[in-house]
Amino acid sequence: MRNAEETALVLAVIFQRSDQNRARLSASTIRVVSGRRHLRGVFLALLGDALGQYGVGLLELDSGGFGLIYMKALEAAKATTAKRYLTPQELRDVRRGNLSAFDREINTQSDTDGDDG
C-alpha cells in the first residue's frame, strides 16, 4: 500500500504523459496505483494535497471517478466576481443571509444539466 505522496507522484506522471490540461480518472485507477482496496476520504484529501505540490487539482465527479486539472490552466481564466454577476439587490440579500433565490436558481440549473442533446 502506497501513501498519498507516492500515489500522487505516479498519478502526476500519468497525467503529464497524457499531454492534456484536464482528464478523468477512475477510482479503480487510483486503487491500482495506490495499492488500496478502499479509497477513504482522509486518503483522498491527502492525495489532493499531494497532487497540489505538482500543480494538479483533484476533483471528485458526480458521475463517479475523479477529474485532474493543471492549476496553471486556471490562471488565465476570466475572474468571476460578485460585483459583475450579482445585482445590487442580490448583493444586499447575500449580506443579510437571504440565499433562498440562489438555492432555487442552482437547483433549477442542476435539473437541466446534461440536457444538451
Side-chain angles (χ1 to χ4, degrees), residues 80-101:
T80 302
T81 64
K83 184 177 179 181
R84 185 171 185 182
Y85 292 102
L86 296 180
T87 66
Q89 179 59 49
E90 289 171 330
L91 283 169
R92 281 191 293 278
D93 287 345
V94 168
R95 289 186 188 107
R96 294 178 182 145
N98 180 7
L99 306 179
S100 58

Side-chain angles (χ1 to χ4, degrees), residues 2-89:
R2 276 169 278 297
N3 64 31
E5 291 78 15
E6 294 166 335
T7 303
L9 173 63
V10 176
L11 291 177
V13 168
I14 291 170
F15 187 35
Q16 182 177 328
R17 289 180 182 176
S18 77
D19 203 30
Q20 302 294 317
N21 285 330
R22 58 189 171 98
R24 284 180 295 153
L25 185 67
S26 69
S28 177
T29 297
I30 296 175
R31 282 194 297 272
V32 167
V33 170
S34 67
R36 295 168 182 266
R37 281 196 269 170
H38 302 287
L39 299 175
R40 309 243 187 263
V42 172
F43 174 76
L44 291 171
L46 292 170
L47 179 60
D49 290 344
L51 280 165
Q53 294 182 7
Y54 298 106
V56 176
L58 177 71
L59 306 165
E60 190 165 2
L61 304 174
D62 288 340
S63 59
F66 298 86
L68 296 175
I69 186 165
Y70 279 115
M71 302 313 273
K72 66 182 176 188
L74 295 173
E75 290 176 6
K78 285 186 177 181
T80 302
T81 64
K83 184 177 179 181
R84 185 171 185 182
Y85 292 102
L86 296 180
T87 66
Q89 179 59 49

